[in-house]
Amino acid sequence: MSSAAARTYLTPQEYISFERKATTKHEYLKGQIIAMSGASRAHSFITGDIFGELRDQLKGHKCEVHSSDMRVSIHSTNSYFYPDVVVACEEPRFEDNVFDTLLNPRVVIEVLSPSTEVYDRGEKFEFYQTFRSKTPLL
C-alpha cells in the first residue's frame, strides 16, 4: 500500500541505492519516491492466501511465486513497484546481481484497499500493462 505523503525526486540509480539501505519500502514512480504504508490484517490474510494457492498450483512448473518483498522494475515507465504477489516463469531476469528487482514478471497481483484502490487501478495498473509475455503460465 502506498502513501503519497512523502515524495522526493531521485534518479533510478539513486532510488535503488536508497531503497537497499532503507528500513521501510518505497515505490518509485517516474522519479518520485512513494512511501509504502503497512498492510491491514485482512490485506495480509488475502495476500498470504493468494501466495500460498499460487505456490501450490505452480509447484513442478517453471514458475516461481514471490511475496511483496520482490521489487518489480518497469523500465519503459521508469518505475519500480512492490506488487503484493508476483509470478515469474521461465528463467527470472533481475536488474543486477543482488537479485531483488525482477524484470520479467508473468503475473502481478495487487490486493486493493480503500487507501490504494485509485492508485492501484489507475496509473500503476497502466504501467503493469506494459509488460509483455509470450509464454503461457502453465
Side-chain angles (χ1 to χ4, degrees):
M1 291 191 256
S2 60
S3 168
R7 293 189 179 216
T8 306
Y9 288 93
L10 298 176
T11 67
Q13 295 78 18
E14 289 171 329
Y15 161 74
I16 290 296
S17 178
F18 165 81
E19 189 65 7
R20 286 179 174 158
K21 296 173 191 167
T23 57
T24 58
K25 291 190 293 190
H26 306 82
E27 292 188 329
Y28 181 79
L29 182 64
K30 297 188 290 187
Q32 294 181 346
I33 299 288
I34 303 171
M36 304 293 291
S37 63
S40 69
R41 182 174 182 237
H43 187 279
S44 180
F45 278 128
I46 293 166
T47 301
D49 287 347
I50 293 168
F51 175 88
E53 287 295 324
L54 283 171
R55 184 194 59 229
D56 291 348
Q57 292 296 317
L58 295 173
K59 211 171 265 185
H61 295 278
K62 293 183 180 182
C63 297
E64 54 189 45
V65 183
H66 296 276
S67 68
S68 60
D69 289 327
M70 178 56 71
R71 186 175 39 250
V72 170
S73 173
I74 306 176
H75 283 292
S76 64
T77 63
N78 202 27
S79 300
Y80 293 83
F81 300 109
Y82 287 96
D84 290 311
V85 179
V86 63
V87 177
C89 295
E90 303 169 345
E91 187 65 32
R93 291 189 335 265
F94 295 92
E95 191 163 79
D96 56 27
N97 63 358
V98 180
F99 306 109
D100 61 353
T101 305
L102 184 65
L103 300 176
N104 63 331
R106 180 65 179 97
V107 176
V108 173
I109 297 171
E110 293 286 357
V111 176
L112 301 178
S113 67
S115 65
T116 65
E117 183 175 6
V118 171
Y119 173 61
D120 288 345
R121 286 186 188 263
E123 194 168 20
K124 195 177 197 182
F125 180 68
E126 290 175 21
F127 288 177
Y128 283 153
Q129 289 180 309
T130 66
F131 283 120
R132 297 288 182 251
S133 176
K134 298 174 185 171
T135 309
L137 187 57
L138 295 179

